[in-house]
Amino acid sequence: MRLVSVQKCFSFVFQKDSKIGSIMAQSSGSNTGKKLIRIDVSSDSVCPWCFVGKRNLDKIKWHPFFLDPSAPKEGVSKREYYEKKFGSRTQVLLAQITEIFRNVGLEYDMSGLTGNTLDSHRLIYFAGKQGLDKQHALVEELYLGYFTQGKYIGDREFLLESARKVGVEGAAEFLENPNKGVKEVNEDLQKYSANISGVPNYVINGKQQLSGGQPPEVFLRAFHVAAK
């Protein structure tokens, strides 16, 4: 899984939600100056709750975390992997994920493969070097492909296709060398994700912690506390 950092003005945190956005603006306006809120988020490219959390809280900088470091690079059936990991709880869990995805306008797709996510984290790091907007857009493409289109997160062509869509330049050359980005991914893992056991995990201003795909209202309350 991976970690995300966000630094932006209070009044813009929920710019896609007019109701909450207006509340945030009023809150920042009641102080002598706008408050800067920092959010650190751990997530993985194959974590459904992370995608839901991303949809509920946009504009974040992403860093790595691995749900299953031992996942095979060649990929295995997503459904079989879930059944092996969750056993008799699988159907209930998938029903919950499907419902939650629909609540944020998405159709969850259980087809395709799952597996090792290292290359996706390398690419996300590389995109971040070209700007947080590109990094954020790339994460969206990877999540959409994996969770709603049955794409395999370890497939090189899928990764490059996603990079092209959002304008990440030099992705093919970067991924061609298996060593590029690995050092940086491991450093981020140690810095942001060494002491957590699940994702998404959010750290606000280095103090408050939230976990799971939280709705905007939960973040709003946390921001009010952080701004005091």
Side-chain angles (χ1 to χ4, degrees), residues 33-48:
K34 290 182 177 179
K35 297 287 185 178
L36 190 65
I37 304 296
R38 176 189 174 89
I39 306 172
D40 291 300
V41 186
S42 294
S43 87
D44 195 0
S45 311
V46 295
C47 170

Side-chain angles (χ1 to χ4, degrees):
M1 309 195 95
R2 30 200 309 314
L3 194 83
V4 177
S5 308
V6 177
Q7 288 192 328
K8 56 193 322 247
C9 287
F10 209 30
S11 57
F12 295 118
V13 171
F14 287 109
Q15 59 185 0
K16 292 188 177 181
D17 188 315
S18 58
K19 180 179 179 181
I20 293 181
S22 64
I23 294 174
M24 299 301 283
Q26 291 169 10
S27 177
S28 63
S30 63
N31 296 283
T32 55
K34 290 182 177 179
K35 297 287 185 178
L36 190 65
I37 304 296
R38 176 189 174 89
I39 306 172
D40 291 300
V41 186
S42 294
S43 87
D44 195 0
S45 311
V46 295
C47 170
W49 312 116
C50 299
F51 191 15
V52 172
K54 176 195 171 297
R55 278 299 180 100
N56 288 332
L57 178 66
D58 256 330
K59 294 300 179 187
I60 49 185
K61 180 183 176 184
W62 301 82
H63 305 279
F65 181 99
F66 295 103
L67 281 173
D68 184 358
S70 65
K73 188 175 180 61
E74 62 272 16
V76 296
S77 166
K78 194 185 298 183
R79 181 173 294 277
E80 290 179 6
Y81 179 84
Y82 272 47
E83 291 175 345
K84 180 178 180 180
K85 183 173 183 178
F86 299 108
S88 60
R89 297 180 295 145
T90 301
Q91 292 306 314
V92 173
L93 176 62
L94 293 179
Q96 291 176 338
I97 295 176
T98 298
E99 179 63 24
I100 291 173
F101 266 52
R102 284 175 179 165
N103 289 339
V104 292
L106 299 166
E107 286 296 323
Y108 187 65
D109 185 346
M110 266 299 293
S111 66
L113 305 176
T114 189
N116 192 280
T117 58
L118 176 60
D119 282 352
S120 72
H121 290 309
R122 291 172 56 218
L123 184 60
I124 290 166
Y125 156 75
F126 183 65
K129 301 295 288 184
Q130 299 182 25
L132 295 187
D133 286 345
K134 285 189 178 182
Q135 185 185 61
H136 188 67
L138 175 65
V139 170
E140 176 79 4
E141 285 295 327
L142 295 178
Y143 275 144
L144 282 172
Y146 179 79
F147 286 113
T148 71
Q149 300 165 14
K151 303 287 188 178
Y152 172 43
I153 199 66
D155 179 61
R156 181 66 56 85
E157 285 305 311
F158 167 54
L159 295 176
L160 295 180
E161 175 189 8
S162 298
R164 286 193 294 270
K165 284 183 177 179
V166 302
V168 175
E169 300 177 357
E173 293 80 4
F174 180 81
L175 289 178
E176 187 65 27
N177 185 333
N179 296 316
K180 285 188 175 180
V182 174
K183 175 176 176 289
E184 290 79 5
V185 166
N186 286 330
E187 288 176 346
D188 266 4
L189 281 168
Q190 183 61 37
K191 181 177 181 180
Y192 295 106
S193 305
N195 297 315
I196 63 174
S197 58
V199 290
N201 184 77
Y202 308 86
V203 179
I204 301 173
N205 277 356
K207 298 178 181 179
Q208 291 179 274
Q209 289 199 41
L210 298 173
S211 62
Q214 299 290 348
E217 292 78 9
V218 173
F219 289 109
L220 178 59
R221 290 194 295 270
F223 291 154
H224 278 305
V225 173
K228 291 181 180 179

